[in-house]
Amino acid sequence: MTPGSTADDGTATATAGLEISQWKYLTAEARAHEMHVVLTVRVDGTGAAAGATGTAAGGRDGADGAPRAAPLLAEVLVVDCSSSMTWPPEKFRAARQAAAAAIGMLPTGTPFAVVQGTETAAMAYPPTEGMPAASEGHRRRADLALHGLVAAGGTCIGAWLDLARRLLAARDAPIGHVLLLTDGRNQHDELLPLDDVLDACEGRFVCDAWGIGDGWDARELLKITRRLHGGVGAVREESALPAEYEKLTARLLTKSLPELAIDVTPVPGTAVRYLKQVFPTETDLEPAEPTAPGGPYRYTTRAWGDETRRYHLCLAADPAGRPRREDLQLAVVSLALPGAARGVTLPPPQPCVVHWTEDPALSRHTDTQVAHFQLFGQLGQAVAAAADAYRRGDRDRAEQHLGHGVRLAHTVGAARPLADFARLVEIVDAATGQVRLRPDLAPIDFEHLITASSHSTYGPGADDDTGPAAPADRPGPAAPARPGTPAARPGVADRPGGPPGPAGTGTGAPAGGGGTATVPCPACGARAPVTGRFCPRCGHRFQERP
């Protein structure tokens, strides 16, 4: 059955894919033994793209005249109505227009509500708690309610999310989504602590958060979206917000798979340190503990369409008493459909392996995908450190951190982050991180940079879309180099930066491989460093070379 085809019972059948990228060689002499792995999870053929333009039977038809199926979505729009939204007037006008634009795109039958956020949370539409099904009448009345909103009060984001949680819990839709907009900081946290609310909301719905104006806190919004599996966005010009909401809603309506679980089953002697999403945005994932001894740690991911996401898995291993010079399984990774979900063909499980070695020529390398996302993590840390230094009035230190961030962005070959940095600094030499702080920058510029740096890139075309719910890139990735080394060139390693070899044994090219001479393995054909003694794909021992 092909992806996106229909089974005999009429159920659309999608296909999920799982690829593992790792550099399997670890030195047996080190004190700390961590295996880092990048999991690439791809879903194809959900058939959800049609939901972005049409509605359920009986509603508005698509452009081709055929009725379209509504996505399994319930939507809550949270509009900041604090006093600061009144100036400039264009800000509040854009917020109301953006919410109305998003509602206008909802397919007929989609439950929705609008929350008015101040130091409390109140219903803007409908007037009482509830989520009516989208229709021409409800859209029109919601538009009138939005344009009648008044901005007056403070900011308690915890109260806003708590009301959204109650609304979505009453509807119990397969995919619950909150689109939150604010121009300020969470100044009334004592009224309903945000951390407590996030504990109650986690796993209940997905939340995307947007900043507007010049008073919002990027790290506060990132805390929300990383816990609630969403993304952060921001606009510099108020007038751009309605179009951004339309793009985000269009992408949201392609989501038709509510949940997909990643199961990690470690072998005895192996511990799971963490699994986190690193592409297209960073998301925290907390596992469900195994229900039986030796069972898997289950990490549930939410709201999938046809897209690719990447995850960083860290395993702790102990070489004591383990054989050398052969592949050993550390864990098995598999995909699962939680609950009663169906209609997705799942891939076979993939092993994560280790090959303990005393050869430093092998153990010193890092998988290209792992290195890429580790560098992106360092980039975000550099931006945050620069923002903190600037707030303290230490412009020199801020400039140093931004220079470090520019060098990292150059190393990973990410054009979009470099353009974002250029708003704050004059880039003299990106390769070395030589920059000059612009004299006219404002504190809000750092919030925009923190927001932008939370969206990772990977592969050609990855810089094309910057929205928080953007679908992942499709083209094959390019292999990044280590700082200060040339980028990997085609032909240097077997499949540079690409998926692993047949058994998931870790054939990702070593970071910084540019210029390294390679030879083919006589057993499997994979190319390996000429200095290595073992094949990185099959573990075959090479004959001694001069």
Side-chain angles (χ1 to χ4, degrees):
M1 184 172 293
T2 58
S5 61
T6 303
D8 294 338
D9 61 359
T11 302
T13 302
T15 301
L18 171 65
E19 296 171 351
I20 287 180
S21 187
Q22 63 168 128
W23 186 255
K24 66 183 179 181
Y25 295 99
L26 288 181
T27 177
E29 282 90 28
R31 292 183 179 179
H33 302 95
E34 288 188 345
M35 174 59 70
H36 295 272
V37 183
V38 168
L39 314 177
T40 298
V41 180
R42 176 170 293 172
V43 175
D44 290 295
T46 61
T53 57
T55 62
R60 294 175 295 181
D61 293 337
D64 57 3
R68 305 294 177 86
L72 305 175
L73 171 72
E75 177 71 14
V76 177
L77 293 118
V78 179
V79 181
D80 187 338
C81 295
S82 60
S83 301
S84 57
M85 288 290 289
T86 59
W87 189 261
E90 293 78 13
K91 181 165 55 177
F92 198 37
R93 184 183 308 121
R96 292 175 295 186
Q97 290 173 345
I103 292 170
M105 296 182 66
L106 295 178
T108 294
T110 304
F112 79 99
V114 182
V115 169
Q116 178 180 6
T118 57
E119 69 272 16
T120 61
M123 296 299 301
Y125 189 84
T128 58
E129 285 194 22
M131 299 187 70
S135 65
E136 291 295 343
H138 281 301
R139 293 187 192 95
R140 183 173 59 254
R141 288 190 287 274
D143 186 76
L144 291 173
L146 280 164
H147 286 83
L149 288 176
V150 175
T155 302
C156 181
I157 297 177
W160 309 353
L161 290 174
D162 188 62
L163 177 53
R165 178 190 59 81
R166 298 199 307 269
L167 291 168
L168 291 170
R171 267 294 186 171
D172 195 28
I175 299 177
H177 183 262
V178 174
L179 180 48
L180 182 151
L181 174 74
T182 184
D183 78 328
R185 300 171 186 267
N186 188 35
Q187 61 182 203
H188 292 294
D189 188 67
E190 74 283 354
L191 299 177
L192 193 55
L194 180 58
D195 288 337
D196 294 345
V197 173
L198 290 177
D199 289 340
C201 293
E202 189 169 12
R204 307 281 182 169
F205 56 83
V206 175
C207 178
D208 289 311
W210 280 74
I212 190 172
D214 59 3
W216 50 279
D217 186 336
R219 278 179 279 194
E220 196 167 69
L221 299 186
L222 280 171
K223 179 170 73 172
I224 294 169
T225 57
R226 284 175 175 166
R227 290 283 300 276
L228 302 182
H229 294 205
V232 173
V235 290
R236 291 181 178 272
E237 300 294 333
E238 288 85 357
S239 59
L241 187 64
E244 292 295 337
Y245 264 39
E246 288 180 349
K247 289 194 294 184
L248 187 147
T249 304
R251 291 192 295 265
L252 176 65
L253 294 178
T254 68
K255 312 290 185 182
S256 65
L257 179 60
E259 295 178 331
L260 185 64
I262 301 174
D263 287 349
V264 181
T265 307
V267 302
T270 300
V272 181
R273 288 281 173 86
Y274 59 80
L275 176 71
K276 62 182 179 180
Q277 180 180 299
V278 291
F279 177 85
T281 59
E282 187 168 305
T283 297
D284 297 333
L285 297 174
E286 290 296 329
E289 294 295 328
T291 57
Y297 291 81
R298 172 158 290 187
Y299 298 82
T300 301
T301 66
R302 306 189 186 279
W304 285 78
D306 287 3
E307 60 186 295
T308 298
R309 301 179 192 175
R310 289 182 168 89
Y311 301 86
H312 182 178
L313 171 64
C314 179
L315 302 168
D318 186 353
R322 306 297 299 276
R324 304 292 197 269
R325 296 181 290 279
E326 63 180 84
D327 289 354
L328 303 173
Q329 186 168 280
L330 288 178
V332 174
V333 180
S334 59
L335 303 183
L337 297 176
R342 54 180 301 188
V344 180
T345 302
L346 299 176
Q350 297 284 340
C352 299
V353 302
V354 66
H355 193 115
W356 300 109
T357 179
E358 294 83 18
D359 187 349
L362 290 175
S363 60
R364 71 183 178 213
H365 288 302
T366 301
D367 175 78
T368 53
Q369 294 197 39
V370 171
H372 179 88
F373 292 113
Q374 287 177 333
L375 290 177
F376 244 106
Q378 295 174 27
L379 189 155
Q381 295 169 7
V383 171
D388 290 338
Y390 190 82
R391 289 193 188 101
R392 298 193 304 266
D394 191 345
R395 292 176 60 91
D396 291 340
R397 193 66 175 165
E399 185 176 272
Q400 292 174 15
H401 286 303
L402 289 174
H404 180 51
V406 165
R407 184 171 66 85
L408 291 170
H410 174 79
T411 300
V412 300
R416 191 191 68 212
L418 282 175
D420 295 326
F421 275 106
R423 290 180 173 271
L424 283 76
V425 294
E426 177 187 348
I427 300 176
V428 180
D429 185 349
T432 61
Q434 185 179 355
V435 301
R436 283 194 290 267
L437 209 62
R438 295 190 181 277
D440 57 344
L441 63 83
I444 192 60
D445 291 328
F446 284 93
E447 307 305 321
H448 281 279
L449 185 59
I450 291 172
T451 298
S453 64
S454 71
H455 299 272
S456 58
T457 62
Y458 200 76
D463 289 332
D464 294 343
D465 200 322
T466 60
D473 59 306
R474 291 282 172 184
R482 284 180 177 170
T485 65
R489 298 190 297 270
V492 169
D494 178 33
R495 291 157 66 181
T505 52
T507 60
T516 302
T518 62
V519 294
C521 170
C524 70
R527 300 199 68 84
V530 71
T531 56
R533 291 159 52 195
F534 304 96
C535 173
R537 173 182 289 175
C538 69
H540 175 78
R541 182 184 177 92
F542 294 129
Q543 294 181 356
E544 294 296 329
R545 309 187 193 101

